[in-house]
Amino acid sequence: MKNKNAAAFVFSLGRQLAGAVFAALLFTVMINAQTTLFKFETKLPNEVTPATDVYQMEFKLFDAAAGGTQVGATNVVGAVDVQNRSFSVWLDFGAAAFSGPDRYIEISYRRNSTQPFATVPTRERVLSVPYAIRALNATSADSITGVDLSDFVLTTDPRLSDDRDPLPGSGHYIQNRTSQQPTSNFSISGNGRAAGTLTGNIVSATTQFNIGSLHMLSGSSSNVFAGVGAGDVTTGINNSFFGRIAGQVNTSGTSNSFFGSFSGRSNTTGSNNSYFGFFAGENATGSDNAAFGDSAGSLAAGSRNSFFGTGAGGNTSATGNNNTFIGLNADFVVTSNVASSFNTLLGANAKVDQIANAASLNFATAIGAGAVVSESNRVQLGRDGFDSVAIGFFANATATPVCRSGQVLALCSSSRRYKENVLLFDGGLDMIKRFRPVTFDWIEHKNADIGLIAEEVARVEPLLVTHNRNGEIEGVKYDQLSVVLISAVKEQQAEIEFHQKQIATQQAVIDKLEKRLTSLEKKKLAKKTGSASVARKRR
């Protein structure tokens, strides 16, 4: 009977101890569930006026009544209702701020944001109520080290040694092994950590890492792929693909670097390509390309191209090699897959326009935002008809002049091989007489100058003026005036020669008349002389 009573007492005591342990654990959970927010009540000093108002306040926690170090973050309360200098606020400095030593609250106040904060001279000591966040002796509840388990549990209870699943070696838990664990049947939830040796923590996967059913990370000794579908089928080496579907269909391409969702997604066999940006690099087979920017370098095929800027080289209908495009949407204008190479664009929306000639363009250069080049072997500076070109300094003079043909600079030439429909120009002195030389001042620069008025010249000879893109008379072809002068000189020379012939004829007549006159005078003189001799003889 005594044994039964003792057993009942032990069982009752065990139930009481178990209940106490459960209550202690529950109390611990409840304590841990408390927040760190507490209510703080006090009064402002008597010198603060007005006594009743709405104030902006800052509350700082320190480890000393004066000086010391601030603990935790500053609490800022934008509107504190103060009644006769009394007020209450809710503060939260975090659990770490109350680790045991005394704490003091410093109060600063102001009436509006245009004023500086005034600090209450005396800090207020934090009393015990806020420290209910963590009881003074709670640290001893964190561990039961040194307490024999028999003080809480009946260690001789046979149920403590009753083997049940999971048994040793079961596949239902993670085993600490030096070799691969056989077929297992366990799952992990929450946060996990890989514990390794002193040299580092290592987690290994033979093929890849998935999140859910999505392939997220894989690689080998020579490739690194990160992102859903990145590098799914590649057999190439030395590739680095980062981003969703980056390099997804790359097969044998090597030494490629794709960074950004969908970057290099069409590349299959191209190598040595560098694509950075969303949808950068749509090229499938080209190599040695560089594209930086959203949708940059999306041309269908080509190699050794460099595209920098959002949308630069982004026309998926274009192909070509050795092109360099720099600027937002610097690109080809093309409707069909025509390869163009060795072209250069510099500036936002600069274009190589293949539509104008419906053919490939090569060695075409456009410089300036919105500049468009539409012919091979041409350099376009600025927007045609909108931008002017200024040159800082010219080089020393040479014997080879430069002319302008429309909007194009060219060597001045008069070769027959560049001309057709050649006819005689018969303008001359009449034109020269009708031209009106004038002096004038340039409106923009106020410089004095001499010349002709283009509109007046056009009325004399339209071929001697130039026109702008709107068809308006623009300038005088002063060089071509020499042709008019040549014709005028020839007219004058013809007149001179005509008059010279007249003079020669007249001179011959004069000479003949003079000769006859001389003969008559001699005869007359001889006759006169003979009459005088006869008269002397008669005397």
Side-chain angles (χ1 to χ4, degrees), residues 207-471:
T207 304
Q208 64 190 42
F209 289 96
N210 288 12
I211 295 179
S213 60
L214 300 177
H215 166 203
M216 293 300 296
L217 180 65
S218 61
S220 64
S221 60
S222 57
N223 294 307
V224 177
F225 306 139
V228 176
D232 268 352
V233 298
T234 187
T235 59
I237 61 173
N238 300 323
N239 295 293
S240 298
F241 302 156
F242 294 83
R244 181 169 179 256
I245 311 182
Q248 183 186 34
V249 297
N250 185 82
T251 53
S252 59
T254 64
S255 303
N256 294 295
S257 298
F258 302 155
F259 293 81
S261 295
F262 299 93
S263 60
R265 66 166 187 164
S266 299
N267 191 83
T268 55
T269 60
S271 299
N272 304 309
N273 296 298
S274 297
Y275 300 147
F276 293 79
F278 180 68
F279 268 107
E282 285 287 286
N283 197 322
T285 59
S287 298
D288 303 295
N289 296 295
F292 293 78
D294 183 350
S295 301
S298 296
L299 77 171
S303 298
R304 300 175 298 282
N305 297 293
S306 299
F307 303 126
F308 297 85
T310 297
N315 193 325
T316 55
S317 298
T319 63
N321 305 309
N322 302 292
N323 297 290
T324 300
F325 297 168
I326 301 175
L328 173 69
N329 293 325
D331 201 2
F332 289 104
V333 179
V334 59
T335 57
S336 59
N337 193 347
V338 180
S340 295
S341 301
F342 296 99
N343 299 292
T344 301
L345 297 178
L346 178 58
N349 295 307
K351 304 294 182 183
V352 173
D353 185 2
Q354 295 175 294
I355 297 178
N357 293 318
S360 62
L361 296 184
N362 301 301
F363 296 97
T365 300
I367 300 176
V372 179
V373 60
S374 56
E375 293 186 24
S376 295
N377 309 306
R378 172 175 288 191
V379 176
Q380 173 72 35
L381 298 179
R383 295 170 298 168
D384 190 11
F386 293 95
D387 300 325
S388 59
V389 178
I391 300 176
F393 293 95
F394 287 97
N396 294 332
T398 66
T400 303
V402 176
C403 293
R404 182 173 70 89
S405 176
Q407 300 301 115
V408 178
L409 295 178
L411 291 177
C412 297
S413 176
S414 293
S415 173
R416 180 62 177 83
R417 64 182 181 274
Y418 299 119
K419 302 172 182 178
E420 61 182 3
N421 301 323
V422 178
L423 301 174
L424 181 65
F425 177 74
D426 57 1
L429 282 174
D430 180 62
M431 287 186 181
I432 297 297
K433 292 176 182 178
R434 295 166 62 188
F435 291 151
R436 186 174 69 97
V438 295
T439 64
F440 59 90
D441 294 332
W442 290 104
I443 294 175
E444 183 175 355
H445 303 293
K446 307 302 181 185
N447 296 331
D449 209 341
I450 61 173
L452 300 173
I453 303 302
E455 288 80 1
E456 295 179 1
V457 174
R459 287 194 289 270
V460 178
E461 176 50 72
L463 291 176
L464 291 175
V465 298
T466 61
H467 298 78
N468 60 25
R469 64 187 296 113
N470 297 322

Side-chain angles (χ1 to χ4, degrees), residues 154-223:
L154 182 62
T155 58
T156 59
D157 192 316
R159 288 172 296 179
L160 296 178
S161 59
D162 182 12
D163 291 339
R164 62 191 65 192
D165 244 0
L167 299 173
S170 170
H172 290 275
Y173 62 88
I174 300 175
Q175 302 171 12
N176 184 17
R177 304 171 57 92
T178 58
S179 60
Q180 184 175 352
Q181 183 174 345
T183 302
S184 304
N185 183 22
F186 59 83
S187 61
I188 303 174
S189 62
N191 297 325
R193 183 182 69 182
T197 64
L198 294 177
T199 58
N201 298 327
I202 300 174
V203 177
S204 298
T206 303
T207 304
Q208 64 190 42
F209 289 96
N210 288 12
I211 295 179
S213 60
L214 300 177
H215 166 203
M216 293 300 296
L217 180 65
S218 61
S220 64
S221 60
S222 57
N223 294 307

